[in-house]
Amino acid sequence: MKSVYLEEFMKNVTQKSKHIERTVSIYFRSSDNFAENKSRWNQIQKKISPDVNEQSFEDAMSKYRLTELRQVTSAIFVIGEDVLVYTSPHLEIDNDEVTVGSTPQLERLEALSVKFPTSLVLDVDYESITVFFVDDRGIEDITEEFGDLTLQSYLGSEFRIGKSNHVSVGNKAVAVHGHNPAKEIKKNDQIRFYQGASPDIVRFIDDNYKGIPVILGGASQNISTFSDAVGKNLLQKLNDKKIDGHFNAKNEIYEAYQNFF
């Protein structure tokens, strides 16, 4: 499971702070100089010491090792004995910020979530569906979490050659008769694969990524076939935006994703 994503993190901070009178909000940008990072961090610790549980705070800092990061901003919220930390390379600040008040300072994170919204990308191909988790921290292939999203897994050796085939596409039935030309066979198998995978994808999203927008990526003809084949429960989750081209961390498609917003 992907680590806590930004929108979920902000929700957790908000919920916990409702029951605490004073919240410490810290934004700390690590540089390439470890000694400088350590010095600045010591100054922050001195400033907030009256408002934090020292042991809880030190345990959290030891866990996240924030002074050892390079060119990364950490958003730290001390809420009672809880210390919540979110790190991002895209969270830009000019200087360290420390605020003690009745509510957490989430404005910078809210702006970050608008600029880099958390999304799932379904990269649909003829024989497989790849699922990517995308947020301000980058791209992660999480297909294994969903299971084996391949045509072979869903159809096995079911190739209906030499007989009449009937395949549902949305509210329409497509009939293919006779000898089944190779192109028609492939198209029908692709539709059956998408239809079989659709409920499993919906179930897993609802259980683990509920509320996150879903964007389709892949060749335009595969996107079209997928959109026509899947059920309404998955269609309702799809974002209107599409990525024309296969989506991965090693090409320029991530830039295209960022330009959506």
Side-chain angles (χ1 to χ4, degrees), residues 11-21 23 79 102-104:
K11 181 178 179 180
N12 290 344
V13 171
T14 300
Q15 289 294 331
K16 288 181 179 295
S17 66
K18 288 181 178 180
H19 309 290
I20 301 294
E21 293 183 0
T23 297
I79 307 170
S102 58
T103 58

Side-chain angles (χ1 to χ4, degrees), residues 162-176:
K163 60 182 180 180
S164 177
N165 298 313
H166 296 270
V167 180
S168 297
V169 182
N171 295 323
K172 300 178 182 179
V174 177
V176 182

Side-chain angles (χ1 to χ4, degrees), residues 54-114:
E54 187 173 340
Q55 188 59 55
S56 297
F57 189 74
E58 288 183 357
D59 289 346
M61 295 310 97
S62 176
K63 174 183 177 181
Y64 292 104
R65 305 173 70 174
L66 303 183
T67 58
E68 299 177 30
L69 300 176
R70 297 293 182 267
Q71 300 300 327
V72 171
T73 297
S74 301
I76 307 111
F77 299 90
V78 185
I79 307 170
E81 294 189 359
D82 292 319
V83 182
L84 288 76
V85 179
Y86 187 89
T87 59
S88 172
H90 294 291
L91 182 55
E92 298 286 349
I93 60 173
D94 294 326
N95 299 293
D96 299 333
E97 300 175 8
V98 180
T99 307
V100 180
S102 58
T103 58
Q105 301 299 300
L106 292 170
E107 292 81 359
R108 288 191 178 277
L109 293 184
E110 290 167 349
L112 184 65
S113 71
V114 173

Side-chain angles (χ1 to χ4, degrees), residues 13-208:
V13 171
T14 300
Q15 289 294 331
K16 288 181 179 295
S17 66
K18 288 181 178 180
H19 309 290
I20 301 294
E21 293 183 0
R22 293 171 68 80
T23 297
V24 179
S25 304
I26 305 167
Y27 287 89
F28 175 80
R29 180 77 177 180
S30 59
S31 70
D32 292 324
N33 188 318
F34 173 77
E36 178 192 332
N37 292 341
K38 189 66 175 176
S39 176
R40 286 165 41 220
W41 189 250
N42 287 339
Q43 292 299 314
I44 290 175
Q45 284 185 286
K46 291 178 182 179
K47 184 174 182 179
I48 65 174
S49 59
D51 297 285
V52 301
N53 180 300
E54 187 173 340
Q55 188 59 55
S56 297
F57 189 74
E58 288 183 357
D59 289 346
M61 295 310 97
S62 176
K63 174 183 177 181
Y64 292 104
R65 305 173 70 174
L66 303 183
T67 58
E68 299 177 30
L69 300 176
R70 297 293 182 267
Q71 300 300 327
V72 171
T73 297
S74 301
I76 307 111
F77 299 90
V78 185
I79 307 170
E81 294 189 359
D82 292 319
V83 182
L84 288 76
V85 179
Y86 187 89
T87 59
S88 172
H90 294 291
L91 182 55
E92 298 286 349
I93 60 173
D94 294 326
N95 299 293
D96 299 333
E97 300 175 8
V98 180
T99 307
V100 180
S102 58
T103 58
Q105 301 299 300
L106 292 170
E107 292 81 359
R108 288 191 178 277
L109 293 184
E110 290 167 349
L112 184 65
S113 71
V114 173
K115 186 176 181 180
F116 296 95
T118 301
S119 303
L120 295 177
V121 175
L122 301 183
D123 189 312
V124 294
D125 204 352
Y126 166 68
E127 293 185 346
S128 64
I129 300 170
T130 307
V131 187
F132 294 97
F133 184 98
V134 191
D135 65 5
D136 60 289
R137 293 169 293 192
I139 304 167
E140 182 179 349
D141 185 339
I142 60 170
T143 310
E144 288 187 358
E145 292 185 18
F146 283 74
D148 189 1
L149 298 178
T150 62
L151 182 147
Q152 182 66 34
S153 173
Y154 280 89
L155 301 190
S157 58
E158 295 181 21
F159 297 102
R160 301 171 298 174
I161 301 175
K163 60 182 180 180
S164 177
N165 298 313
H166 296 270
V167 180
S168 297
V169 182
N171 295 323
K172 300 178 182 179
V174 177
V176 182
H177 301 279
H179 55 77
N180 277 340
K183 184 176 180 180
E184 293 175 333
I185 294 174
K186 287 188 65 176
K187 182 65 174 291
N188 292 337
D189 285 342
Q190 183 181 21
I191 291 170
R192 293 167 60 214
F193 163 42
Y194 290 163
Q195 289 178 332
S198 174
D200 291 338
I201 292 172
V202 169
R203 189 178 306 111
F204 196 87
I205 290 175
D206 285 342
D207 289 344
N208 299 278

